[in-house]
Amino acid sequence: MSRIDVNILKQIGNDVGMDMYDSLIEIFISDSSERLESLKSQFENNDLAKLKITAHTLKSVCAQYGAMGCSAIAKDLEKMCVDHPSDNETIGKTVAQLSDELNEAMKEIKEIKI
């Protein structure tokens, strides 16, 4: 099952040109990796305010690059930080799920040729 909506990537390529497309994919991967590390640290430090902001950012960025499953998990995580801030077990599982899903999406996006 594909984690990336290739049509969104094709649109990015059409909008910015193929020279810039490769750079944007590299930026997405680098930025997402950094945000995942921040997300894990924020959870470990019980900093739900920052965790919520990072989840919100990942929700948007992932959607922009066609990683819709990641975007949905990040949306759930963002909502949990507001609605159930004391549910560390569920928040932790969701952080792990988002991490796994985004790592797989980043591997996949590297292999997609448009």
Side-chain angles (χ1 to χ4, degrees), residues 6 9-10 18 21-22 108-114:
V6 177
L9 295 182
K10 287 179 182 178
M18 291 314 295
Y21 171 83
D22 290 335
E108 185 176 313
I109 204 169
K110 288 180 191 179
E111 302 300 320
I112 294 173
K113 304 295 179 210
I114 60 167

Side-chain angles (χ1 to χ4, degrees), residues 8-73:
I8 291 174
L9 295 182
K10 287 179 182 178
Q11 187 62 52
I12 292 171
N14 289 336
D15 290 346
V16 301
M18 291 314 295
D19 292 338
M20 188 66 167
Y21 171 83
D22 290 335
S23 295
L24 288 176
I25 296 302
E26 299 254 344
I27 291 168
F28 168 73
I29 292 168
S30 174
D31 182 64
S32 296
S33 296
E34 289 176 20
R35 290 189 194 281
L36 275 179
E37 291 306 312
S38 293
L39 197 74
K40 292 173 190 175
S41 175
Q42 291 158 358
F43 174 70
E44 289 169 4
N45 293 317
N46 200 31
D47 191 343
L48 292 183
K50 287 183 181 175
L51 183 70
K52 178 182 165 276
I53 292 167
T54 302
H56 177 81
T57 302
L58 279 170
K59 173 184 71 174
S60 300
V61 170
C62 289
Q64 289 175 323
Y65 284 86
M68 304 313 286
C70 295
S71 180
I73 297 167

Side-chain angles (χ1 to χ4, degrees), residues 87-113:
D87 189 353
N88 286 340
E89 183 178 344
T90 303
I91 291 173
K93 286 179 182 178
T94 307
V95 166
Q97 181 185 16
L98 178 56
S99 178
D100 292 345
E101 184 70 17
L102 187 50
N103 279 318
E104 291 301 316
M106 288 187 291
K107 287 179 194 172
E108 185 176 313
I109 204 169
K110 288 180 191 179
E111 302 300 320
I112 294 173
K113 304 295 179 210

Side-chain angles (χ1 to χ4, degrees), residues 71-87:
S71 180
I73 297 167
K75 180 180 179 181
D76 290 344
L77 180 58
E78 179 184 17
K79 187 166 174 36
M80 278 180 219
C81 290
V82 173
D83 295 346
H84 306 287
S86 61
D87 189 353

